Every structure is written in C-alpha cells, then in structure tokens.
Amino acid sequence: MIRNEQKSVFAAEKLRQFEARIATKLRREYPKRFGDSTSEEMAGFYTAVMARASEWRINGEGATTVLFELCAEYGLRFERAPDAAWAETILAHPQLPDHIRVSVVRDRFWGRQQGREIVEEQPLA
C-alpha cells in the first residue's frame, strides 16, 4: 500500500523531471532567448508559466508543454502576440479542455506568424 507521503514524493519527482525536460526543450528550441539562461532564470520562467497554467486550469503535460512554447515565443502575457486579448479569452474558457484551448491559440498564432520569427523591437540608437 502506498501512503500519501509516498505519493507526494512521487508527484514532486515527476514535477522536477518535467521542469528539467522543459528547460532542455526551451534551450534547444529557443536558443536566442534561453541559450545562455542560468538555472535560476530558467526556474523563474518555469514558475511564471506554471502560475499561468494554474490560472487557466491547464493541467495536462502536453497542454502545459504547448503553453511553455507559447510563452517562450510570445511572452508570458502574450505581449508579442498578434491576438493577445483573444488568446487570453480562449485560454480562460471554462468548458473547453486544456489541450484544445492551447492548440487553438498555438495554431492561430503560428498561422498568423507564417513562419516569421518574432523579434523584440529594439530602440533606435
């Protein structure tokens, strides 16, 4: 029989493994943003995205991974996104499953982006 304390240890270990996989994925797929990030910076981003996931009731590992990709690409509040307000509305939808919500947002953003890289505006010198 597995006690509640043991279940908590297993759950915590699963979260640590997920965090490590996400950090590796972000560094590999978004090297300009995360390639030189410290462990502390990655942990801060992880915590911030997980807070957004909790806010939007995104719990599945696949849906959460897509949310990390969206936040890496468009910002935690989608400040670099073409339809930020629309995305927030979809992600907060009370009835749609989490994987549907993040997929719809991802597909719309990536479709509008048409393969172009999102570049943060640099001030003129």
Side-chain angles (χ1 to χ4, degrees):
M1 179 156 184
I2 298 176
R3 296 187 317 265
N4 285 338
E5 300 84 34
Q6 290 170 311
K7 289 179 185 177
S8 295
V9 169
F10 293 140
E13 180 58 26
K14 187 174 178 181
L15 281 174
R16 279 191 292 277
Q17 291 172 359
F18 178 70
E19 182 177 4
R21 284 194 309 274
I22 287 294
T24 299
K25 178 180 182 58
L26 294 176
R27 284 186 171 118
R28 182 182 63 243
E29 294 181 15
Y30 302 94
K32 289 181 182 177
R33 175 137 191 228
F34 297 105
D36 295 328
S37 295
T38 65
S39 295
E40 292 78 21
E41 290 167 334
M42 293 302 292
F45 185 75
Y46 178 86
T47 299
V49 174
M50 291 303 283
R52 299 292 339 244
S54 177
E55 177 184 332
W56 289 322
R57 302 166 335 281
I58 296 172
N59 301 308
E61 185 172 332
T64 303
T65 300
V66 173
L67 182 63
F68 271 95
E69 293 169 347
L70 288 169
C71 289
E73 186 89 18
Y74 302 103
L76 288 168
R77 298 268 173 209
F78 302 123
E79 56 271 11
R80 295 185 304 272
D83 295 315
W86 173 85
E88 295 261 353
T89 300
I90 295 298
L91 291 169
H93 194 284
Q95 295 171 331
L96 292 173
D98 61 356
H99 67 280
I100 298 294
R101 290 182 276 140
V102 295
S103 294
V104 166
V105 171
R106 178 195 58 207
D107 292 349
R108 181 164 173 164
F109 282 4
W110 290 355
R112 304 247 348 243
Q113 186 178 333
Q114 298 179 357
R116 294 182 303 256
E117 182 179 354
I118 300 293
V119 179
E120 292 187 52
E121 187 175 322
Q122 299 294 320
L124 298 174

